[in-house]
Amino acid sequence: MDLFGDPAQWLPFTFAGLMGLSILIYVILDGYDLGVGVLFPFADDAEKDRMIASIGPFWDANETWLVLAVGLLLVAFPTAHGEILTALYLPVAIMLIGLIMRGVAFEFRAKAPAPYKPLWNNVFFTGSLMTSLAQGFMLGMYVMGLDYTWGHFAFALLTAVFLTVGYSFIGATWVIYKTDEHLQRKAISWAKGGIWGLVLGISAISIATPFVSPRIFDKWFDFPQILWLAPLPIVSGILVLSLWSMLRRMPFTNDRMSWLPFATASALWTLAYGGMAYSFYPYVVPDKLTIYESASAPESLWIILLGTCIVLPTIAAYTFLAYYIFRGKATELRYD
């Protein structure tokens, strides 16, 4: 197969790569701000204000990556979009309601009279929890092939809990990076508890995925693939041990390297995501539709590619700009 000669081959591959990259960036960036929302019940009022300030300049830009990923799925792989959204209609609706609740609560909590602020804090937490659980459920059902059985449903519920804990963990590492003193020490304790949920979640999905189909099992355990893929679990284990070691030694002197837990957690998420991408390629709907079978016509993909070459760098540029301008520790979030 001449992957880079025939547009009917390399264009779907390119769009699958762009969609996968968008999902990965979304999971890391919006994952931490969802995690911050999930951690709300463990913080007092002043700490909640500081936590909101730590994500205030970024959360809108973070969610743009989800819009881009879903948009690419719709226009580049319309058949797969229909299959996936049909199977996941209810959790997608719950996720969207949760995202709406978060957005409304984010603005209202800063402007509502003091007696109503706890209400909007609770709405923000509830929206974050709903979104995280819905995304975890969708991940579990996707791994199981989008087929609803009692076993698959139970696995999806388990994945929903694990992904939520994983989001809370990366959210805690973000709070470690963006805050200091008492709240930072509290976030370190949150991260120490959350890391085990993240490890259990990654382990559960990693163990279950090869047994979903003989094709995936062979991709991982046939020789010589098993040798080439061995570094993935080994490096993941090293990252987990590194995270645990640095969390035990934090806070560092003069708050140096407070960004390191978040960066290490992001690398761990990237490795886990890369393993999933390898497992399911070339299928976009597991064992039903490949990216080549479900792709739009090459003529359409050419036009979409031109638009993507404008939109993607624009999103990346303003995301980078936001993180650059608001680098350093979070300060008080003001609306006046």
Side-chain angles (χ1 to χ4, degrees):
M1 179 177 66
D2 187 3
L3 183 61
F4 296 102
D6 182 3
Q9 299 298 325
W10 69 263
L11 278 172
F13 181 83
T14 300
F15 274 99
L18 292 173
M19 184 177 68
L21 177 64
S22 301
I23 294 173
L24 173 61
I25 295 174
Y26 170 78
V27 165
I28 293 174
L29 297 187
D30 206 42
Y32 80 70
D33 70 55
L34 285 168
V36 168
V38 171
L39 291 169
F40 251 39
F42 306 102
D44 61 33
D45 288 341
E47 290 167 347
K48 288 173 183 175
D49 287 343
R50 191 82 183 277
M51 291 162 70
I52 283 288
S54 75
I55 65 174
F58 314 114
W59 71 279
D60 266 339
N62 295 344
E63 290 183 357
T64 308
W65 292 99
L66 177 62
V67 177
L68 177 63
V70 175
L72 289 175
L73 177 64
L74 172 62
V75 298
F77 308 104
T79 307
H81 178 273
E83 287 266 354
I84 294 172
L85 267 293
T86 299
L88 301 176
Y89 185 86
L90 183 57
V92 167
I94 293 173
M95 179 187 73
L96 292 176
I97 293 171
L99 290 172
I100 292 169
M101 291 172 64
R102 276 169 49 86
V104 172
F106 195 97
E107 301 297 332
F108 275 49
R109 71 178 298 279
K111 301 175 183 179
Y116 294 98
K117 192 173 181 179
L119 168 65
W120 293 111
N121 284 337
N122 291 332
V123 172
F124 186 75
F125 161 70
T126 303
S128 301
L129 184 64
M130 287 172 59
T131 303
S132 301
L133 290 172
Q135 290 181 3
F137 184 86
M138 288 188 283
L139 173 62
M141 288 306 302
Y142 185 86
V143 169
M144 291 293 107
L146 300 176
D147 292 325
Y148 280 85
T149 67
W150 284 112
H152 293 176
F153 188 82
F155 179 81
L157 289 177
L158 187 66
T159 308
V161 173
F162 283 145
L163 185 71
T164 301
V165 175
Y167 278 169
S168 71
F169 169 75
I170 198 169
T173 64
W174 177 258
V175 175
I176 291 170
Y177 166 51
K178 296 295 286 185
T179 65
D180 50 22
E181 299 178 346
H182 178 70
L183 179 54
Q184 186 185 64
R185 291 192 293 272
K186 187 177 276 192
I188 292 169
S189 68
W190 295 338
K192 286 179 180 177
I195 190 173
W196 302 115
L198 176 65
V199 171
L200 287 172
I202 292 176
S203 300
I205 292 173
S206 299
I207 293 171
T209 300
F211 294 96
V212 170
S213 74
R215 179 189 62 82
I216 297 177
F217 187 92
D218 292 342
K219 288 186 75 171
W220 277 94
F221 296 109
D222 275 4
F223 188 86
Q225 291 96 314
I226 191 171
L227 297 180
W228 294 111
L229 295 170
L232 264 179
I234 293 173
V235 174
S236 297
I238 292 172
L239 289 177
V240 170
L241 293 176
S242 299
L243 273 167
W244 179 247
S245 175
M246 68 180 71
L247 289 172
R248 292 186 64 184
R249 292 183 287 112
M250 293 189 79
F252 297 129
T253 305
N254 298 324
D255 205 29
R256 292 181 298 108
M257 310 290 281
S258 62
W259 54 269
L260 195 54
F262 178 75
T264 307
S266 299
L268 184 60
W269 281 92
T270 302
L271 285 177
Y273 184 82
M276 272 198 62
Y278 170 79
S279 295
F280 289 103
Y281 176 81
Y283 287 90
V284 65
V285 178
D287 289 337
K288 294 178 182 177
L289 279 176
T290 68
I291 58 175
Y292 307 105
E293 294 168 341
S294 59
S296 299
E299 295 81 4
S300 299
L301 292 178
W302 270 114
I303 298 172
I304 300 166
L305 183 62
L306 293 175
T308 305
C309 289
I310 298 172
V311 172
L312 183 59
T314 302
I315 296 174
Y318 71 63
T319 300
F320 174 81
L321 184 63
Y323 280 88
Y324 177 77
I325 292 174
F326 296 99
R327 63 192 182 278
K329 297 298 180 181
T331 56
E332 184 184 1
L333 186 63
R334 301 182 63 90
Y335 286 78
D336 53 356

